[in-house]
Amino acid sequence: DAGVIQSPRHEVTEMGQEVTLRCKPISGHNSLFWYRQTMMRGLELLIYFNNNVPIDDSGMPEDRFSAKMPNASFSTLKIQPSEPRDSAVYFCASSLGRVDTQYFGPGTRLTVL
Amino acid sequence: AQSVTQPDIHITVSEGASLELRCNYSYGATPYLFWYVQSPGQGLQLLLKYFSGDTLVQGIKGFEAEFKRSQSSFNLRKPSVHWSDAAEYFCAVGATGGDKIIFGKGTRLHILP
């Protein structure tokens, strides 16, 4: 089992650029979660999907953030345009069900200059 | 609404000493309870979970946790800590029929040599 795969592992970009983070969940998992982690705000749930459908996006900070899950094996989190305050580690996690053990990916460390 | 509280932001213990990290939850029904560990630069890893049955749960790396319904607690324990246990620990709660797991803000564990 490869676990949850995230890419890229590190991303450095300039303010105003578009950033796309990618996630491949564990095969057979029906729920997928995007989190953001910073020193100041800790771990925040941004959005989660169940069976590829977005269920709760109330944690998405602004319209600059969007997420998609076109199929069961792939999800993206996009920031357009990016700002320095978006600098954080972004985690993707997947689970069999909504309320079940979540398996986390290694994260993407985003730095916006 | 369900919630989870980790009262201690930082805990420092000496190597070889015992450890207890506190977690309190708020939910009317029987909760699903989890402890995760995050080592520096890593994603979150499941230590143990409680869904039902025996209220004393054994996990990986020598950790255990006890579900106490009367105290709404799920404290994490280890009889003797190792320097490699230095990390951040997250308690999480979910519920049957709920829509997602809620994570606490985390407790950072420091180990003195």
Side-chain angles (χ1 to χ4, degrees):
Chain A
D1 186 351
V4 175
I5 299 172
Q6 291 187 247
S7 65
R9 292 294 310 277
H10 300 274
E11 176 81 33
V12 180
T13 190
E14 293 188 346
M15 183 174 62
Q17 297 298 305
E18 177 179 295
V19 175
T20 300
L21 311 182
R22 296 172 176 80
C23 175
K24 177 178 170 57
I26 293 173
S27 177
H29 282 190
N30 297 319
S31 296
L32 183 139
F33 305 80
W34 282 101
Y35 292 89
R36 178 172 68 176
Q37 187 177 41
T38 62
M39 289 293 291
M40 291 297 294
R41 301 174 69 89
L43 187 68
E44 302 174 277
L45 176 64
L46 300 177
I47 185 171
Y48 74 95
F49 296 83
N50 194 57
N51 294 323
N52 312 338
V53 176
I55 302 300
D56 183 354
D57 65 355
S58 60
M60 297 285 261
E62 300 171 32
D63 291 344
R64 299 185 295 108
F65 285 69
S66 62
K68 294 182 179 179
M69 192 165 186
N71 57 62
S73 58
F74 184 66
S75 178
T76 59
L77 178 68
K78 185 176 295 186
I79 308 173
Q80 167 63 17
S82 59
E83 296 183 3
R85 59 190 168 130
D86 301 330
S87 297
V89 180
Y90 291 81
F91 288 104
C92 176
S94 71
S95 62
L96 282 171
R98 295 184 190 182
V99 186
D100 206 337
T101 303
Q102 291 184 18
Y103 295 86
F104 282 73
T108 296
R109 181 172 295 278
L110 174 65
T111 302
V112 183
L113 303 175
Chain B
Q2 64 197 64
S3 66
V4 58
T5 302
Q6 294 181 248
D8 304 305
I9 298 174
H10 295 272
I11 291 278
T12 300
V13 298
S14 298
E15 190 170 16
S18 63
L19 171 70
E20 183 168 29
L21 301 182
R22 296 183 291 166
C23 174
N24 294 99
Y25 67 90
S26 173
Y27 196 74
T30 298
Y32 295 161
L33 296 158
F34 307 81
W35 274 101
Y36 284 80
V37 60
Q38 184 181 27
S39 298
Q42 305 291 319
L44 279 70
Q45 179 187 16
L46 180 71
L47 278 177
L48 49 80
K49 63 184 178 183
Y50 171 81
F51 278 17
S52 65
D54 193 346
T55 56
L56 184 62
V57 181
Q58 301 297 321
I60 62 171
K61 305 185 181 189
F63 285 92
E64 66 178 27
E66 186 171 12
F67 169 54
K68 292 185 177 181
R69 184 190 302 275
S70 62
Q71 299 177 20
S72 297
S73 68
F74 189 57
N75 294 348
L76 182 71
R77 301 193 296 245
K78 187 170 185 178
S80 176
V81 297
H82 186 262
W83 63 266
S84 60
D85 293 325
E88 188 152 23
Y89 292 80
F90 293 88
C91 182
V93 62
T96 309
D99 63 347
K100 60 181 180 289
I101 295 171
I102 303 295
F103 282 83
K105 294 189 180 301
T107 297
R108 185 167 296 277
L109 175 64
H110 306 271
I111 307 293
L112 295 175

